Amino acid sequence: MDELLNAWGVRARDVRPVAEGTNNAGYYIGDEFVLRIHRNTTAPDYEHAVLRALGGLSFGVPVPLPAEDGSTVVRRELDGEVVTASLSRLIPGEHPRRGDVVRAEACGAALAELDEALARLDRRALPPRNEWDRDLTKVHRRVPYLGELLAILDKAEQVARIFAVVQRVRELPRSIIHADFGPTNVLMDGARVTAILDFEAVGPGYRAMDLAIGLWSFGQYDEAAADAFRRGYVARLPLTEAELNDVPDLQLLREASSLVHWYGRHLDGLTTAADINARADRLLRLEHELRTAARQP
């Protein structure tokens, strides 16, 4: 750790692990920095370019700090493994709880503010990036078609039916989106958002998908929290009627895309077949809950 942090001229003092992330690991370095170990096989070039370009927000984002050689990405050996790492300043705050209506509304408004800022970025100045799209074969470079994924699933027929549905999502306004907005990626001080974190999934996609993801993450099993999140978001960034009507399909599309992404990680040796089936079960559970909600008066 000393050698890794020395790339930024930082000493490894009071190193504490951050709660384990889905794709990455993190460490608090004292009360000043956060070190991220990127466990995907691609470097976070697009993520870092977006974070460096953002500005003028009412909350913080984890802008990567340049190492002494000017790069924001450092590759070093750590515990016998060559890792890809980046460093940012620690932003104070705590994660909101699911079901907290007041905080859900504030988080919806903060996501809308972020989406406004992302929409203003010059996409031509950013590195190439796959889109969050209804074409699931574009999600991960290792998954150009879906047959092999379906072959390892216990409930392949049900998943294939959902894949067919989400690939017919109609064309909607596009922008750069965060694409992974949930309580664990937000920090707050009371009812004020202090930071939005984890831009690993950031990229071009359907604008309303951010609202769809946030509604699912903040309002799962809690209609009042979902309504508050939606209210906070659309008060800041009104969406079209078509976008609002298609939120359930976008929730399914995001979960289907996540399943394909995880299968790509599986092919890279980063997840197990059991992990893939668990993600498929999550997709089917979401579809069941959306169908149940649609039948309610």
Side-chain angles (χ1 to χ4, degrees):
M1 186 68 77
D2 277 326
E3 183 180 351
L4 177 58
L5 288 169
N6 190 52
W8 288 275
V10 172
R11 295 186 59 189
R13 60 189 186 282
D14 187 21
V15 177
R16 312 181 308 279
V18 179
E20 189 77 3
T22 302
N23 295 321
N24 302 310
Y27 299 90
Y28 296 116
I29 310 301
D31 294 322
E32 190 173 359
F33 302 104
V34 175
L35 177 73
R36 288 182 75 198
I37 307 298
H38 301 270
R39 287 179 169 164
N40 277 332
T41 56
T42 55
D45 298 331
Y46 186 92
E47 173 189 1
H48 285 190
V50 167
L51 288 166
R52 290 195 302 269
L54 285 171
L57 296 165
S58 65
F59 47 82
V61 295
V63 179
L65 298 172
E68 293 187 338
D69 66 0
S71 172
T72 59
V73 178
V74 169
R75 292 176 179 84
R76 293 284 192 281
E77 184 173 309
L78 180 66
D79 296 332
E81 173 190 7
V82 176
V83 300
T84 299
S86 61
L87 191 75
S88 62
R89 295 200 177 277
L90 188 150
I91 306 172
E94 61 181 17
H95 300 303
R97 292 183 298 104
R98 282 187 172 88
D100 186 323
V101 173
V102 173
R103 288 187 169 193
E105 184 167 355
C107 288
L111 176 59
E113 180 184 347
L114 174 64
D115 281 347
E116 287 179 328
L118 290 172
R120 292 193 294 267
L121 298 185
D122 182 358
R123 291 174 60 172
R124 297 168 299 179
L126 298 172
R129 173 73 165 182
N130 285 347
E131 297 210 14
W132 290 101
D133 191 86
R134 60 190 169 197
D135 184 353
L136 297 176
T137 64
K138 295 180 179 178
V139 171
H140 197 285
R141 58 183 173 74
R142 294 290 301 273
V143 193
Y145 63 97
L146 305 175
E148 290 183 359
L149 164 58
L150 293 170
I152 72 166
L153 297 179
D154 297 332
K155 300 172 182 174
E157 185 176 341
Q158 297 97 311
V159 171
R161 176 173 45 78
I162 297 175
F163 281 176
V165 169
V166 301
Q167 288 176 84
R168 295 196 298 266
V169 168
R170 59 181 160 178
E171 189 58 36
L172 296 167
R174 294 174 183 259
S175 182
I176 299 174
I177 60 175
H178 181 274
D180 193 23
F181 192 80
T184 58
N185 290 335
V186 184
L187 294 175
M188 302 189 73
D189 179 9
R192 181 177 65 87
V193 172
T194 59
I196 293 180
L197 311 173
D198 197 355
F199 282 70
E200 180 183 82
V202 69
Y206 297 119
R207 177 178 66 173
M209 190 180 283
D210 262 355
L211 173 62
I213 295 167
L215 282 171
W216 173 243
S217 298
F218 279 84
Q220 189 177 7
Y221 313 123
D222 192 317
E223 186 175 348
D227 288 343
F229 186 90
R230 182 187 292 105
R231 186 167 58 248
Y233 187 96
V234 299
R236 172 88 190 216
L237 180 57
L239 301 180
T240 67
E241 183 178 355
E243 288 176 296
L244 294 174
N245 289 338
D246 282 5
V247 160
D249 286 343
L250 292 173
Q251 289 175 326
L252 280 177
L253 176 58
R254 197 274 180 175
E255 280 301 309
S257 300
S258 179
L259 172 59
V260 175
H261 175 73
W262 270 66
Y263 180 60
R265 285 170 53 79
H266 174 63
L267 295 178
D268 283 330
L270 299 172
T271 59
T272 66
D275 292 330
I276 307 308
N277 275 287
R279 302 296 287 200
D281 287 339
R282 195 170 97 166
L283 172 61
L284 294 170
R285 187 166 60 250
L286 170 60
E287 184 205 29
H288 173 74
E289 290 168 4
L290 291 173
R291 283 203 319 266
T292 301
R295 288 195 297 266
Q296 294 175 352

